[in-house]
Amino acid sequence: NLVSTSTFLLSCSASNMFETTVLRELSGLILTRGPKLCTFVEWRGFKVVYKRYTSLYFCMCVNQDDNELEILEVIHHFVEILDRYFGSVSWTCSSIFTRKDHHSKAYYILDEILIAGELQESSNKTVARLVAVQDSLVEAAKEEASSLSNIIAQATK
């Protein structure tokens, strides 16, 4: 049972003191580890499982009794879907987590994979299809809002 989807640390920008403290502690703990060491560590009574993809670390905080290999698979699954959606993760990681619309989309994708901290969807194709449907709904809503704005602008002339 995964602690929660919010424990997935997706960005280096923390919005409050707790997040800043967590990011500082985990960064110091993970970044100082050698590349040949295992990719999980104990922290505050939990287990942190992490995987490095290019210059970005994906971390997941889980209960002590959770299977580390299963968590690594969940992280890899998430990265594969990000790669498929945004293009090569190796050059888009910084843009994924610095652009607000991309940041929101990354969380949306994570929410399609995990629900209440449990793996919900293991199929990359299904997640990609669901995200594409959501994208088309967002575009249709934007077009409708633009049309309404144009109608209002013409009516007020």
Side-chain angles (χ1 to χ4, degrees):
N1 170 346
L2 307 180
V3 175
S4 78
T5 56
S6 65
T7 59
F8 235 100
L9 302 177
L10 292 176
S11 108
C12 291
S13 61
S15 61
N16 63 43
M17 185 58 90
F18 176 73
E19 290 176 2
T20 302
T21 303
V22 168
L23 286 171
R24 186 177 301 121
E25 286 180 25
L26 288 178
S27 295
L29 187 64
I30 292 169
L31 294 177
T32 58
R33 294 176 59 82
K36 294 191 181 211
L37 294 175
C38 67
T39 60
F40 55 94
V41 294
E42 290 188 20
W43 175 76
R44 291 188 179 186
F46 294 102
K47 193 177 342 180
V48 176
V49 181
Y50 65 93
K51 178 84 172 128
R52 181 179 179 186
Y53 289 89
T54 62
S55 62
L56 190 63
Y57 284 81
F58 290 80
C59 305
M60 199 166 199
C61 184
V62 297
N63 292 323
Q64 287 286 341
D65 57 344
D66 286 334
N67 183 324
E68 299 89 3
L69 296 178
E70 180 183 3
I71 305 308
L72 285 170
E73 285 296 319
V74 169
I75 292 171
H76 185 71
H77 178 53
F78 180 53
V79 171
E80 282 181 331
I81 294 169
L82 289 177
D83 188 51
R84 185 176 193 166
Y85 185 80
F86 291 109
S88 177
V89 171
S90 63
W91 62 268
T92 61
C93 280
S94 61
S95 69
I96 289 173
F97 300 109
T98 55
R99 288 190 47 189
K100 185 176 173 124
D101 57 331
H102 286 181
H103 194 260
S104 299
K105 186 58 69 176
Y107 273 109
Y108 177 78
I109 291 169
L110 183 61
D111 285 341
E112 287 298 321
I113 297 169
L114 298 174
I115 293 182
E118 296 292 334
L119 181 64
Q120 179 65 29
E121 185 54 65
S122 61
S123 167
N124 290 0
K125 289 180 182 180
T126 300
V127 173
R129 183 178 48 78
L130 292 170
V131 171
V133 167
Q134 193 235 13
D135 285 348
S136 64
L137 290 172
V138 168
E139 286 304 314
K142 284 180 182 178
E143 289 174 13
E144 186 175 319
S146 177
S147 296
L148 288 174
S149 295
N150 290 339
I151 292 170
I152 292 170
Q154 290 175 357
T156 57
K157 285 185 180 179

Coordinates of all heavy atoms in Angstrom, one line a residue, residues 50-109:
Y50 N 13.8 5.3 -5.2 CA 14.1 6.3 -6.2 C 14.7 5.7 -7.4 O 15.3 4.6 -7.4 CB 14.9 7.4 -5.6 CG 16.3 7.0 -5.2 CD1 17.4 7.1 -6.1 CD2 16.6 6.5 -4.0 CE1 18.7 6.7 -5.8 CE2 17.9 6.1 -3.6 CZ 18.9 6.2 -4.5 OH 20.2 5.8 -4.2
K51 N 14.6 6.4 -8.5 CA 15.3 6.0 -9.7 C 15.7 7.3 -10.5 O 14.9 8.2 -10.5 CB 14.3 5.2 -10.6 CG 14.8 4.8 -11.9 CD 15.6 3.5 -11.8 CE 15.9 3.0 -13.2 NZ 17.3 2.7 -13.4
R52 N 16.9 7.3 -11.0 CA 17.4 8.4 -11.7 C 17.2 8.2 -13.2 O 17.6 7.2 -13.8 CB 18.9 8.6 -11.4 CG 19.4 9.8 -12.2 CD 20.9 10.0 -11.9 NE 21.4 11.2 -12.6 CZ 22.6 11.5 -12.7 NH1 23.5 10.9 -12.0 NH2 22.9 12.6 -13.4
Y53 N 16.6 9.2 -13.9 CA 16.5 9.2 -15.3 C 17.1 10.5 -15.8 O 16.6 11.6 -15.4 CB 15.0 9.2 -15.8 CG 14.4 7.8 -15.5 CD1 13.8 7.5 -14.3 CD2 14.4 6.9 -16.5 CE1 13.2 6.3 -14.1 CE2 13.8 5.6 -16.3 CZ 13.2 5.4 -15.1 OH 12.6 4.1 -14.8
T54 N 18.2 10.4 -16.5 CA 19.0 11.6 -16.9 C 19.4 12.4 -15.7 O 20.0 11.9 -14.7 CB 18.4 12.4 -18.0 OG1 17.2 13.0 -17.6 CG2 18.2 11.5 -19.3
S55 N 19.0 13.6 -15.6 CA 19.3 14.5 -14.5 C 18.2 14.6 -13.4 O 18.3 15.4 -12.5 CB 19.7 15.8 -15.0 OG 18.6 16.4 -15.6
L56 N 17.1 13.8 -13.6 CA 16.0 13.9 -12.7 C 15.8 12.7 -11.9 O 15.9 11.6 -12.5 CB 14.7 14.2 -13.6 CG 13.5 14.6 -12.9 CD1 13.6 15.9 -12.2 CD2 12.3 14.7 -13.9
Y57 N 15.5 12.8 -10.6 CA 15.2 11.7 -9.8 C 13.7 11.6 -9.5 O 13.1 12.6 -9.2 CB 16.0 11.9 -8.4 CG 17.4 11.6 -8.5 CD1 18.3 12.6 -8.9 CD2 18.0 10.4 -8.0 CE1 19.7 12.4 -9.0 CE2 19.3 10.2 -8.1 CZ 20.2 11.2 -8.5 OH 21.5 10.9 -8.6
F58 N 13.2 10.4 -9.6 CA 11.8 10.2 -9.3 C 11.8 9.4 -8.0 O 12.5 8.3 -7.9 CB 11.1 9.4 -10.4 CG 10.9 10.2 -11.6 CD1 11.9 10.4 -12.5 CD2 9.7 10.7 -11.9 CE1 11.7 11.1 -13.7 CE2 9.5 11.4 -13.1 CZ 10.5 11.6 -14.0
C59 N 11.2 9.9 -7.0 CA 11.2 9.3 -5.6 C 9.8 9.0 -5.2 O 8.8 9.7 -5.5 CB 11.8 10.2 -4.6 SG 13.4 10.9 -5.0
M60 N 9.6 7.9 -4.5 CA 8.3 7.5 -4.0 C 8.5 7.0 -2.5 O 9.4 6.2 -2.2 CB 7.8 6.4 -4.8 CG 6.3 6.2 -4.7 SD 5.8 5.1 -6.0 CE 4.1 5.5 -5.9
C61 N 7.8 7.6 -1.6 CA 7.9 7.3 -0.2 C 6.8 6.2 0.1 O 5.6 6.5 -0.2 CB 7.6 8.5 0.6 SG 7.8 8.3 2.4
V62 N 7.2 5.1 0.6 CA 6.2 4.0 0.8 C 6.4 3.4 2.2 O 7.3 3.7 2.9 CB 6.4 2.9 -0.3 CG1 6.1 3.4 -1.7 CG2 7.8 2.3 -0.2
N63 N 5.4 2.5 2.6 CA 5.5 1.8 3.8 C 6.7 0.9 3.8 O 7.1 0.4 2.8 CB 4.2 1.1 4.1 CG 3.1 2.0 4.4 OD1 3.2 3.1 5.0 ND2 1.9 1.6 3.9
Q64 N 7.2 0.5 5.0 CA 8.3 -0.3 5.2 C 8.1 -1.7 4.5 O 9.0 -2.3 4.0 CB 8.7 -0.5 6.6 CG 9.3 0.7 7.3 CD 10.8 0.9 6.8 OE1 11.4 0.0 6.3 NE2 11.2 2.1 7.0
D65 N 6.9 -2.2 4.5 CA 6.6 -3.6 4.1 C 6.3 -3.6 2.6 O 6.1 -4.7 2.0 CB 5.5 -4.2 4.9 CG 4.2 -3.5 4.8 OD1 4.2 -2.3 4.5 OD2 3.2 -4.0 5.2
D66 N 6.3 -2.5 1.9 CA 6.1 -2.5 0.4 C 7.3 -3.1 -0.3 O 8.4 -2.9 0.1 CB 5.8 -1.1 -0.1 CG 4.4 -0.6 0.3 OD1 3.5 -1.5 0.5 OD2 4.2 0.6 0.4
N67 N 7.0 -3.7 -1.5 CA 8.0 -4.3 -2.3 C 8.8 -3.2 -3.1 O 8.1 -2.6 -4.0 CB 7.4 -5.3 -3.2 CG 8.3 -6.1 -4.0 OD1 9.3 -5.6 -4.5 ND2 8.0 -7.4 -4.3
E68 N 10.1 -3.1 -2.9 CA 10.9 -2.1 -3.6 C 10.9 -2.3 -5.1 O 10.8 -1.3 -5.9 CB 12.3 -2.1 -3.2 CG 12.5 -1.8 -1.7 CD 12.5 -3.1 -0.8 OE1 12.4 -4.2 -1.4 OE2 12.6 -3.0 0.4
L69 N 10.9 -3.5 -5.6 CA 10.9 -3.8 -7.0 C 9.6 -3.4 -7.7 O 9.6 -2.9 -8.8 CB 11.3 -5.2 -7.3 CG 12.7 -5.7 -6.9 CD1 12.9 -7.2 -7.1 CD2 13.7 -4.9 -7.5
E70 N 8.5 -3.6 -7.0 CA 7.2 -3.2 -7.5 C 7.2 -1.7 -7.6 O 6.7 -1.1 -8.6 CB 6.1 -3.7 -6.6 CG 4.7 -3.3 -7.1 CD 3.6 -3.7 -6.1 OE1 3.9 -4.3 -5.0 OE2 2.5 -3.5 -6.4
I71 N 7.7 -1.0 -6.6 CA 7.7 0.5 -6.7 C 8.6 1.0 -7.8 O 8.2 1.9 -8.5 CB 8.2 1.1 -5.3 CG1 7.3 0.5 -4.2 CG2 8.1 2.6 -5.3 CD1 5.8 0.7 -4.3
L72 N 9.7 0.4 -8.0 CA 10.6 0.7 -9.1 C 9.9 0.5 -10.5 O 10.0 1.3 -11.4 CB 11.9 -0.1 -9.1 CG 12.9 0.4 -8.1 CD1 14.1 -0.7 -8.0 CD2 13.5 1.7 -8.4
E73 N 9.1 -0.5 -10.6 CA 8.3 -0.7 -11.8 C 7.2 0.4 -12.0 O 7.0 0.8 -13.1 CB 7.6 -2.1 -11.7 CG 8.5 -3.2 -12.0 CD 9.1 -3.2 -13.4 OE1 8.4 -2.9 -14.4 OE2 10.3 -3.5 -13.5
V74 N 6.6 0.8 -10.9 CA 5.6 1.9 -11.0 C 6.3 3.2 -11.4 O 5.8 3.9 -12.3 CB 4.9 2.1 -9.6 CG1 4.1 3.4 -9.6 CG2 4.0 0.9 -9.2
I75 N 7.5 3.5 -10.9 CA 8.2 4.7 -11.3 C 8.6 4.6 -12.8 O 8.4 5.5 -13.5 CB 9.5 4.8 -10.4 CG1 9.1 5.2 -9.0 CG2 10.4 5.9 -11.0 CD1 10.3 5.2 -8.0
H76 N 9.1 3.4 -13.2 CA 9.5 3.2 -14.6 C 8.2 3.4 -15.5 O 8.3 4.0 -16.6 CB 10.1 1.9 -14.8 CG 10.6 1.7 -16.2 ND1 11.7 2.3 -16.7 CD2 10.2 0.9 -17.2 CE1 11.9 2.0 -17.9 NE2 11.0 1.1 -18.3
H77 N 7.1 2.8 -15.1 CA 5.9 2.9 -15.8 C 5.5 4.4 -16.0 O 5.1 4.8 -17.1 CB 4.8 2.2 -15.1 CG 3.4 2.2 -15.7 ND1 3.1 1.9 -17.0 CD2 2.2 2.5 -15.1 CE1 1.8 2.0 -17.2 NE2 1.3 2.4 -16.1
F78 N 5.6 5.2 -14.9 CA 5.3 6.6 -15.0 C 6.2 7.3 -16.0 O 5.8 8.1 -16.8 CB 5.4 7.2 -13.6 CG 5.1 8.7 -13.5 CD1 3.9 9.2 -14.0 CD2 6.0 9.5 -12.8 CE1 3.7 10.6 -13.9 CE2 5.8 10.8 -12.7 CZ 4.6 11.4 -13.2
V79 N 7.5 7.0 -15.9 CA 8.5 7.7 -16.8 C 8.2 7.3 -18.2 O 8.3 8.1 -19.1 CB 9.9 7.4 -16.3 CG1 10.9 7.8 -17.3 CG2 10.2 8.0 -15.0
E80 N 7.9 6.0 -18.5 CA 7.6 5.6 -19.9 C 6.4 6.4 -20.4 O 6.4 6.8 -21.6 CB 7.2 4.1 -19.9 CG 8.4 3.2 -19.8 CD 8.0 1.8 -19.9 OE1 6.9 1.4 -19.5 OE2 8.8 1.0 -20.4
I81 N 5.4 6.6 -19.6 CA 4.2 7.4 -20.1 C 4.6 8.8 -20.3 O 4.2 9.5 -21.3 CB 3.0 7.2 -19.1 CG1 2.6 5.7 -19.2 CG2 1.9 8.1 -19.5 CD1 1.6 5.3 -18.1
L82 N 5.4 9.4 -19.4 CA 5.8 10.8 -19.6 C 6.6 10.9 -20.9 O 6.5 11.9 -21.6 CB 6.7 11.2 -18.4 CG 6.0 11.5 -17.0 CD1 7.1 11.9 -16.0 CD2 4.9 12.6 -17.2
D83 N 7.5 9.9 -21.1 CA 8.3 9.9 -22.3 C 7.4 9.8 -23.6 O 7.6 10.6 -24.5 CB 9.2 8.7 -22.3 CG 10.2 8.7 -23.4 OD1 10.9 9.8 -23.6 OD2 10.4 7.7 -24.1
R84 N 6.4 9.0 -23.5 CA 5.5 8.9 -24.6 C 4.7 10.2 -24.8 O 4.4 10.6 -26.0 CB 4.5 7.7 -24.3 CG 3.6 7.4 -25.5 CD 2.8 6.2 -25.1 NE 2.2 5.7 -26.3 CZ 1.6 4.5 -26.4 NH1 1.6 3.7 -25.4 NH2 1.0 4.1 -27.5
Y85 N 4.2 10.8 -23.8 CA 3.4 12.0 -23.9 C 4.2 13.2 -24.2 O 3.8 14.0 -25.1 CB 2.6 12.2 -22.6 CG 1.7 13.4 -22.7 CD1 0.4 13.2 -23.3 CD2 2.0 14.7 -22.2 CE1 -0.4 14.3 -23.4 CE2 1.1 15.7 -22.3 CZ -0.1 15.5 -22.9 OH -0.9 16.6 -23.1
F86 N 5.3 13.5 -23.5 CA 6.1 14.7 -23.7 C 7.2 14.6 -24.7 O 7.9 15.5 -25.1 CB 6.7 15.2 -22.4 CG 5.7 15.7 -21.4 CD1 5.4 14.9 -20.3 CD2 5.0 16.9 -21.6 CE1 4.4 15.4 -19.4 CE2 4.1 17.3 -20.7 CZ 3.8 16.6 -19.6
G87 N 7.5 13.4 -25.2 CA 8.7 13.1 -26.0 C 9.8 12.6 -25.2 O 9.6 12.3 -24.0
S88 N 11.0 12.6 -25.7 CA 12.1 12.0 -25.0 C 12.3 12.7 -23.6 O 12.6 13.9 -23.5 CB 13.4 12.2 -25.8 OG 14.5 11.7 -25.1
V89 N 12.2 12.0 -22.5 CA 12.3 12.5 -21.2 C 13.7 13.1 -21.0 O 13.9 14.0 -20.2 CB 12.0 11.5 -20.1 CG1 12.3 11.9 -18.7 CG2 10.5 11.1 -20.2
S90 N 14.7 12.5 -21.7 CA 16.1 13.0 -21.5 C 16.2 14.5 -21.7 O 17.1 15.1 -21.1 CB 17.0 12.2 -22.3 OG 16.8 12.4 -23.7
W91 N 15.4 15.1 -22.6 CA 15.6 16.5 -22.9 C 14.4 17.3 -22.4 O 14.5 18.5 -22.5 CB 15.9 16.8 -24.3 CG 14.9 16.4 -25.3 CD1 14.7 15.2 -26.0 CD2 13.8 17.2 -25.8 NE1 13.6 15.2 -26.8 CE2 13.0 16.4 -26.7 CE3 13.3 18.5 -25.5 CZ2 11.9 16.9 -27.3 CZ3 12.2 18.9 -26.1 CH2 11.5 18.1 -27.0
T92 N 13.4 16.7 -22.0 CA 12.2 17.5 -21.6 C 11.9 17.5 -20.1 O 11.0 18.1 -19.6 CB 10.9 17.0 -22.3 OG1 10.7 15.6 -21.9 CG2 11.0 17.1 -23.8
C93 N 12.7 16.8 -19.3 CA 12.4 16.7 -17.9 C 12.3 18.1 -17.2 O 11.4 18.4 -16.5 CB 13.5 15.9 -17.1 SG 13.3 14.1 -17.3
S94 N 13.3 19.0 -17.5 CA 13.2 20.3 -16.9 C 12.0 21.0 -17.4 O 11.4 21.8 -16.6 CB 14.5 21.1 -17.2 OG 14.6 21.3 -18.6
S95 N 11.6 20.9 -18.7 CA 10.4 21.6 -19.1 C 9.1 21.0 -18.6 O 8.2 21.7 -18.4 CB 10.4 21.7 -20.7 OG 10.1 20.4 -21.2
I96 N 9.1 19.7 -18.3 CA 7.9 19.1 -17.8 C 7.6 19.7 -16.4 O 6.5 20.0 -16.1 CB 8.1 17.5 -17.6 CG1 8.1 16.9 -19.0 CG2 7.0 16.9 -16.8 CD1 8.5 15.4 -19.0
F97 N 8.6 19.9 -15.6 CA 8.4 20.3 -14.2 C 8.6 21.8 -14.0 O 8.4 22.3 -12.9 CB 9.2 19.5 -13.3 CG 8.9 18.0 -13.4 CD1 9.8 17.2 -14.0 CD2 7.6 17.6 -13.0 CE1 9.4 15.8 -14.2 CE2 7.3 16.2 -13.2 CZ 8.2 15.4 -13.7
T98 N 8.9 22.6 -15.0 CA 8.9 24.0 -14.8 C 7.8 24.8 -15.5 O 7.4 25.8 -15.0 CB 10.3 24.6 -15.4 OG1 10.4 24.2 -16.8 CG2 11.4 24.1 -14.6
R99 N 7.2 24.2 -16.5 CA 6.0 24.8 -17.2 C 4.8 24.4 -16.4 O 4.6 23.2 -16.2 CB 5.9 24.4 -18.6 CG 7.0 25.0 -19.5 CD 6.8 24.8 -20.9 NE 5.4 25.1 -21.3 CZ 4.9 24.8 -22.5 NH1 5.7 24.2 -23.4 NH2 3.7 25.0 -22.8
K100 N 4.0 25.3 -16.0 CA 2.8 25.0 -15.2 C 1.9 24.0 -15.9 O 1.4 23.1 -15.3 CB 2.1 26.3 -14.8 CG 0.9 26.1 -13.9 CD 0.3 27.3 -13.4 CE -1.0 27.0 -12.7 NZ -1.1 27.5 -11.4
D101 N 1.6 24.2 -17.2 CA 0.7 23.3 -17.9 C 1.3 21.9 -17.9 O 0.5 20.9 -17.8 CB 0.3 23.8 -19.2 CG 1.5 24.1 -20.1 OD1 2.6 24.4 -19.6 OD2 1.4 24.0 -21.4
H102 N 2.6 21.8 -18.1 CA 3.2 20.5 -18.2 C 3.2 19.8 -16.8 O 3.0 18.6 -16.6 CB 4.6 20.6 -18.7 CG 4.7 20.8 -20.2 ND1 5.9 20.9 -20.8 CD2 3.8 21.0 -21.1 CE1 5.7 21.1 -22.1 NE2 4.4 21.1 -22.3
H103 N 3.5 20.7 -15.8 CA 3.5 20.2 -14.4 C 2.1 19.6 -14.0 O 2.0 18.5 -13.5 CB 3.8 21.3 -13.4 CG 4.2 20.9 -12.1 ND1 3.3 21.0 -11.0 CD2 5.3 20.4 -11.5 CE1 3.9 20.6 -9.9 NE2 5.1 20.2 -10.2
S104 N 1.0 20.3 -14.4 CA -0.3 19.8 -14.1 C -0.6 18.5 -14.9 O -1.2 17.6 -14.4 CB -1.4 20.9 -14.5 OG -1.2 22.0 -13.8
K105 N -0.1 18.4 -16.1 CA -0.3 17.3 -16.9 C 0.4 16.1 -16.4 O -0.1 14.9 -16.3 CB 0.1 17.5 -18.4 CG -0.2 16.4 -19.3 CD -1.7 16.0 -19.4 CE -2.4 17.1 -20.1 NZ -3.8 16.8 -20.2
A106 N 1.6 16.3 -15.8 CA 2.4 15.2 -15.2 C 1.6 14.6 -14.0 O 1.5 13.4 -13.8 CB 3.8 15.7 -14.8
Y107 N 1.0 15.5 -13.2 CA 0.2 15.1 -12.1 C -1.0 14.4 -12.5 O -1.5 13.4 -11.9 CB -0.1 16.2 -11.1 CG 0.9 16.5 -10.1 CD1 1.7 17.6 -10.2 CD2 1.1 15.6 -9.1 CE1 2.7 17.9 -9.2 CE2 2.1 15.8 -8.1 CZ 2.9 17.0 -8.2 OH 3.8 17.2 -7.3
Y108 N -1.6 14.8 -13.6 CA -2.8 14.2 -14.2 C -2.5 12.7 -14.6 O -3.2 11.8 -14.3 CB -3.4 15.0 -15.3 CG -4.6 14.2 -15.9 CD1 -5.8 14.3 -15.3 CD2 -4.4 13.5 -17.1 CE1 -6.9 13.6 -15.9 CE2 -5.5 12.8 -17.6 CZ -6.7 12.8 -17.0 OH -7.8 12.1 -17.5
I109 N -1.4 12.6 -15.3 CA -0.9 11.3 -15.7 C -0.7 10.4 -14.5 O -1.1 9.2 -14.5 CB 0.4 11.4 -16.6 CG1 0.0 12.1 -17.9 CG2 1.0 10.0 -16.8 CD1 1.2 12.5 -18.8

